[in-house]
Amino acid sequence: MTGSLGSTDQDNAIIWCMRLSEGALTAAEQQDLRDWLAGDAARQEQLDLALAVWTGLEADADAPELLGLRREALGAMHRAERRRWMRGAVLPAGWRALAAVVALVAVALATMVWQRHGGTSYRTGIGERRVIALADGSRLSLDADSAVSVAFSDQRRDLTLERGRARFKVAKNPLRPFAVHIGDDVVVATGTEFSVERLAGEMRVALFEGRVAVLHDGRYGPVAALTRRDGAIVAAERALAPGSELRMPFGKTIGGIAPIGLNDGMEEGQMSFTAEALGVAAERMNRYAGAHRIAVAPDVAALRISGVFNAGDSDAFAQAIAATFPVRVTRDGDTLRMVAP
């Protein structure tokens, strides 16, 4: 593919958008993309807007004012002669029509996103969840009582998880790394879906699709986080496969890998725990706590619990734990205290 494939920058932004959506670029294609972006500073914004339409931004793409445009764009896409531009031919008329439609949708979408989510800091309250369309086309799903700050540039996409948990569906762009910072650790992806959670004593990275690198800010610069697998210590990036989760204690360089829970409250309003430490389970439940929050004494915090609970029903959670484990529950105003009997 060459920069002269499309007749306008808008055409080329659409073509690069479709190419990125179909998989990893070759080294030569990455260089072509770098060259094209370097030709005009506005091209990165055009590519971001195109990606925003085609990376599954369900929260805004289903808005009534966009449905007609989206249907028209999808129809144009299916009618386009894709093989011609993949062979380097002149951009077909169908693709020019698609470019115009996508550009219109992208402008409308970008306007909606920035009107609703202006600024670079996103937060949720207790029991609240949000889905946010980011300017590059990525999607951010914020769990309850969570906060993320965003700082994008032409070269990087940097985010910081300040508290709680966030799930990311990353728009593919190998030239702009997508990095999520948690204290001295950073999770880097180019195009994937994962979540990052900040707990009182550890960081958790769950991978749903693709691949991520987990780095730690060591004494001599960033180093790969490590984990144990099959009796050996390996880089977490090699061990973390889709469907698994890295659990890394803060201040440590070696973590562990565990399967992702079937349901942890981010989707269905229920919290599912499998051999989870009571202290961690209570911390997660507190993100949805309404009238009562849970405090766990250190002498019972390491108890391993399993079960499914309604998110936000702290009383039922405390009663179930007290009926099953050597734990006593006391009330102190709006706080449920879980202590040894």
Side-chain angles (χ1 to χ4, degrees), residues 200-220:
E202 68 180 14
M203 169 189 73
R204 295 188 178 184
V205 180
L207 183 61
F208 303 97
E209 179 183 326
R211 189 175 182 180
V212 295
V214 183
L215 306 176
H216 180 76
D217 189 9
R219 182 178 179 183
Y220 300 105

Side-chain angles (χ1 to χ4, degrees), residues 111-187:
T111 301
M112 293 172 62
V113 168
W114 287 110
Q115 285 177 345
R116 297 179 188 179
H117 311 298
T120 57
S121 183
Y122 306 101
R123 301 176 185 274
T124 52
I126 292 175
E128 176 191 9
R129 291 178 295 185
R130 293 177 65 186
V131 178
I132 299 151
L134 299 179
D136 70 324
S138 298
R139 187 178 66 191
L140 164 63
S141 301
L142 267 186
D143 198 3
D145 195 19
S146 300
V148 168
S149 59
V150 180
F152 283 0
S153 69
D154 290 340
Q155 290 75 39
R156 295 185 58 82
R157 295 173 286 175
D158 287 303
L159 303 91
T160 300
L161 179 64
E162 299 171 5
R163 70 170 186 270
R165 180 177 50 162
R167 182 164 173 166
F168 307 91
K169 188 171 184 180
V170 181
K172 296 178 181 179
N173 189 337
L175 304 187
R176 294 175 75 198
F178 189 99
V180 181
H181 301 263
I182 317 97
D184 291 333
D185 298 288
V186 60
V187 182

Side-chain angles (χ1 to χ4, degrees), residues 16-330:
W16 281 119
C17 171
M18 302 309 295
R19 176 59 62 86
L20 287 166
S21 72
E22 293 185 342
L25 301 181
T26 66
E29 288 170 335
Q30 290 190 30
Q31 187 58 55
D32 282 344
L33 179 54
R34 288 190 188 94
D35 293 341
W36 180 70
L37 291 172
D40 188 335
R43 291 174 179 174
Q44 182 66 68
E45 182 179 357
Q46 290 177 313
L47 179 58
D48 283 346
L49 289 176
L51 287 167
V53 180
W54 299 108
T55 50
L57 303 177
E58 292 90 348
D60 286 310
D62 288 338
E65 58 267 41
L66 295 184
L67 286 176
L69 292 174
R70 188 171 177 83
R71 283 194 297 268
E72 184 179 348
L74 286 170
M77 182 182 70
H78 290 306
R79 293 191 298 270
E81 299 175 15
R82 303 178 69 183
R83 293 181 180 177
R84 293 182 61 188
W85 64 262
M86 291 178 68
R87 292 198 301 265
V90 175
L91 185 70
W95 278 97
R96 292 198 178 92
L98 174 60
V101 172
V102 171
L104 183 57
V105 176
V107 170
L109 177 58
T111 301
M112 293 172 62
V113 168
W114 287 110
Q115 285 177 345
R116 297 179 188 179
H117 311 298
T120 57
S121 183
Y122 306 101
R123 301 176 185 274
T124 52
I126 292 175
E128 176 191 9
R129 291 178 295 185
R130 293 177 65 186
V131 178
I132 299 151
L134 299 179
D136 70 324
S138 298
R139 187 178 66 191
L140 164 63
S141 301
L142 267 186
D143 198 3
D145 195 19
S146 300
V148 168
S149 59
V150 180
F152 283 0
S153 69
D154 290 340
Q155 290 75 39
R156 295 185 58 82
R157 295 173 286 175
D158 287 303
L159 303 91
T160 300
L161 179 64
E162 299 171 5
R163 70 170 186 270
R165 180 177 50 162
R167 182 164 173 166
F168 307 91
K169 188 171 184 180
V170 181
K172 296 178 181 179
N173 189 337
L175 304 187
R176 294 175 75 198
F178 189 99
V180 181
H181 301 263
I182 317 97
D184 291 333
D185 298 288
V186 60
V187 182
V188 182
T190 54
T192 189
E193 187 168 1
F194 65 100
S195 70
V196 180
E197 184 172 16
R198 186 169 190 157
L199 297 164
E202 68 180 14
M203 169 189 73
R204 295 188 178 184
V205 180
L207 183 61
F208 303 97
E209 179 183 326
R211 189 175 182 180
V212 295
V214 183
L215 306 176
H216 180 76
D217 189 9
R219 182 178 179 183
Y220 300 105
V223 295
L226 304 176
T227 187
R228 292 181 174 87
R229 184 179 67 178
D230 301 328
I233 296 177
V234 300
E237 181 180 1
R238 292 173 51 195
L240 190 59
S244 64
E245 179 180 65
L246 171 69
R247 300 179 178 183
M248 178 73 67
F250 289 122
K252 304 293 184 181
T253 57
I254 299 179
I257 299 290
I260 297 175
L262 293 179
N263 191 344
D264 53 12
M266 203 157 181
E267 302 295 339
E268 301 297 335
Q270 289 186 315
M271 307 291 286
S272 176
F273 303 113
T274 302
E276 183 68 271
L278 176 58
V280 172
E283 187 175 352
R284 284 180 154 180
M285 289 291 294
N286 280 339
R287 293 187 191 136
Y288 293 85
H292 300 127
R293 291 178 67 80
I294 304 167
V296 180
D299 52 0
V300 297
L303 286 174
R304 297 288 172 174
I305 71 165
S306 299
V308 180
F309 307 89
N310 290 328
D313 195 343
S314 303
D315 290 272
F317 173 81
Q319 292 170 13
I321 298 302
T324 309
F325 297 91
V327 172
R328 181 168 58 92
V329 178
T330 64

Side-chain angles (χ1 to χ4, degrees), residues 1 11 14 53 307 321:
M1 178 172 177
D11 292 339
I14 301 305
V53 180
I321 298 302

